[in-house]
Amino acid sequence: MAGLGTVGTGVYETLCHNHEILEARANIPFLLKKVAVKNPAKKRSADIPGELLTARWEELVEDPEIDIIIELIGGTTDAHRLVRAALEARKPVVTGNKALLALFGAELFRLSAEKGVPLYFEASAGGGIPIIQSLQNSLICNHINSIIGIINGTSNFILTKMEQQGVPFETALKEAQRLGFAEADPTLDVNGKDAAHKALILAMLAYGTPVTPDKIFVSGIERIEPRDFEFAAKLGYTIKLLVVIRHHEETDSIELRVQPSFVPETHLLSSVNGVFNAIAVNGDIVGETIFYGRGAGKNPTASAVIGDVVTAMRELHHPEHHTGFHPYAKPLRIMHINETKSPCYLRIRVMDRPGIIAEIAGILAWHGISISATNTLDGEPDAGGVMWNDLVFIVHTCPWGRLQAALAEIAKNPDIGSDPAVIRIEKFHH
């Protein structure tokens, strides 16, 4: 194993604690031979014998007695070198490294296929939720219509706090950091990039085609305000940061995005709160299935890693078909975000004066965007005594690009405050 951070410690402790039950269930004896760490002399929470530790990950690849390598270093530099070297040496690899797979997945999967050596990655998307195995095995006969999910526990915790306690984003974020659900630097969680890494992995699996990070549109939760939840509740929705992966048959293309979205209160995803994750997969044969659980943390992620280790051990004993990921489809076109369509919620801060609503409605109409509802929330006077209100428009389904063009024109009006808040209204039927 390489890496003995939070997840690595969880894997080590679980392998020690549940060693007998694992050997009995897998019917294969195994031994943890070596653990590569940056600093073998460092004090650790896990009581690990010093002779197991090495500062050189290369030893894992060079040792002929080591059959399987678990990569839990994190990052994309040493991890990339280790995984490449292991596959070249024909040693199966288990990884939980979503950033590595998002950046180098296409290359590593190609190498895995060339060498006939599996690369397992259940822990990389959804922590303890068995989504990878399900897509590869249980749902193998399905054409995947869509995958829509909440796959970042930190942002979901923050949004839940904002909704339940009416607190602003910054307050909810501080609470998430205090409880250890958010890092000291929470950027990748709140700006949607962490969810995007996982979305790329799920898209590659669902459609058998390599996808690069530049193809996914990502927008985070930093600009959501408590009053957005008030409006959402009035309309029968809540707000979640969603990954949306959807196949469009008519153009044979994939919609791939991470955005805050209104989720109807009638859908199960609306009740997924706190640090929990949930992924709704819609297949043409099975219909909609939902996977729910803790998406991160030491033990859920360790559980996924060890599940892959057992699969790898079985594979070494019965190598007639390797169960890592095979790219199997022609490259599919990824839709540009501007082509994607949905209804949307717009919240626009405006100066309180006659005619302003009509002006905004006129611009939307000129761009061919029809309005299904409007509402106003009284605001506060500014330092000069001028009253600013929040206008809300719910617009019918329209292309994202057309809406952005209309909003750019609206923003030129001197009586508009900050940039409008835009939240998509997600539809779940295919």
Side-chain angles (χ1 to χ4, degrees), residues 135-278:
L135 284 171
Q136 287 188 301
N137 300 315
S138 309
L139 302 177
I140 197 165
C141 70
N142 285 258
H143 174 82
I144 303 298
N145 296 322
S146 64
I147 299 173
I148 301 176
I150 298 161
I151 54 179
N152 181 272
T154 303
S155 56
N156 200 47
F157 177 87
I158 291 167
L159 292 174
T160 302
K161 276 276 169 214
M162 290 176 70
E163 178 179 37
Q164 292 179 351
Q165 296 178 7
V167 296
F169 170 78
E170 290 77 14
T171 307
L173 170 58
K174 281 198 179 76
E175 176 72 352
Q177 286 171 320
R178 187 183 70 76
L179 293 169
F181 296 138
E183 305 282 343
D185 178 2
T187 312
L188 287 178
D189 289 319
V190 300
N191 71 5
K193 291 280 173 63
D194 173 80
H197 287 154
K198 298 169 186 172
L200 286 169
I201 294 164
L202 294 175
M204 283 192 264
L205 267 178
Y207 300 105
T209 185
V211 186
T212 49
D214 57 310
K215 298 292 188 200
I216 184 165
F217 179 85
V218 186
S219 173
I221 62 168
E222 306 97 317
R223 296 193 55 236
I224 305 289
E225 294 185 8
R227 55 180 36 189
D228 296 321
F229 283 100
E230 291 172 34
F231 278 115
K234 279 183 190 172
L235 297 162
Y237 293 91
T238 186
I239 301 168
K240 300 290 181 186
L241 181 68
L242 290 186
V243 158
V244 177
I245 305 165
R246 188 180 274 123
H247 181 248
H248 291 263
E249 211 167 320
E250 63 282 4
T251 54
D252 200 21
S253 57
I254 305 295
E255 180 177 349
L256 183 57
R257 55 187 171 85
V258 175
Q259 288 178 289
S261 304
F262 274 24
V263 176
E265 286 170 355
T266 51
H267 195 276
L268 271 171
L269 288 184
S270 71
S271 57
V272 176
N273 290 325
V275 292
F276 281 85
N277 285 198

